[in-house]
Amino acid sequence: MAIKFQVLPRKNPQDFNAPEKFYAAALGDGETDLDTLAEMIAYQCTVTKPDCYAVLMALEHNIVSELRQGRIVKLGSIGNFQVGISSLGMEFPQEVSANVITSNRIIFRPGKQLRELLKSITYRKAG
């Protein structure tokens, strides 16, 4: 299976007079929410306290599987995971193909509580 991408024109932020170039941008292909993940895990293992590790391993397996299919994985208030890509800029849309994709990454968008956590963290120099 492959991640879907779309072609987007973008201006050069360092030279707005330069002609636009075209880039590949990852597309989310549906969504997988926490309830769906919980249902998947229920079919794969038991969910008793002693089996918590097994449940976490199944969760990881399913997150990887859903991301591999191009889906956005929503973990409720924890946040969302999605695959992102970078590509070379091309002069024309028809020149953009999978061959110009230069890198990929996992994008995590934290939920509200995690974002709030970042606002309240304080720092202290070690030593």
Side-chain angles (χ1 to χ4, degrees):
M1 301 202 193
I3 302 293
K4 293 179 183 176
F5 66 91
Q6 64 183 351
V7 178
L8 295 177
R10 293 198 180 133
K11 291 274 189 190
N12 181 341
Q14 295 160 346
D15 181 8
F16 284 100
N17 294 324
E20 289 181 328
K21 289 191 176 185
F22 295 88
Y23 296 86
L27 280 176
D29 187 15
E31 296 179 346
T32 301
D33 62 13
L34 194 57
D35 291 339
T36 303
L37 285 173
E39 185 175 307
M40 291 175 179
I41 291 168
Y43 288 115
Q44 295 172 342
C45 65
T46 61
V47 191
T48 62
K49 191 171 182 178
D51 291 329
C52 185
Y53 183 75
V55 171
L56 292 172
M57 294 303 295
L59 177 62
E60 178 186 15
H61 170 81
N62 284 293
I63 288 171
V64 170
S65 175
E66 295 300 300
L67 289 174
R68 185 172 279 130
Q69 295 178 57
R71 293 191 175 104
I72 299 168
V73 178
K74 293 184 161 190
L75 293 180
S77 61
I78 294 171
N80 305 331
F81 291 92
Q82 181 177 2
V83 172
I85 59 176
S86 297
S87 74
L88 299 173
M90 306 307 289
E91 297 296 325
F92 303 100
Q94 61 272 23
E95 295 176 321
V96 179
S97 70
N99 293 330
V100 301
I101 296 173
T102 57
S103 65
N104 55 23
R105 63 202 171 280
I106 302 294
I107 299 168
F108 175 67
R109 293 181 185 91
K112 183 178 180 180
Q113 280 190 321
L114 290 175
R115 288 191 317 270
E116 292 297 319
L117 166 76
L118 294 175
K119 293 177 183 177
S120 66
I121 291 177
T122 58
Y123 301 94
R124 182 174 58 105
K125 188 174 182 179

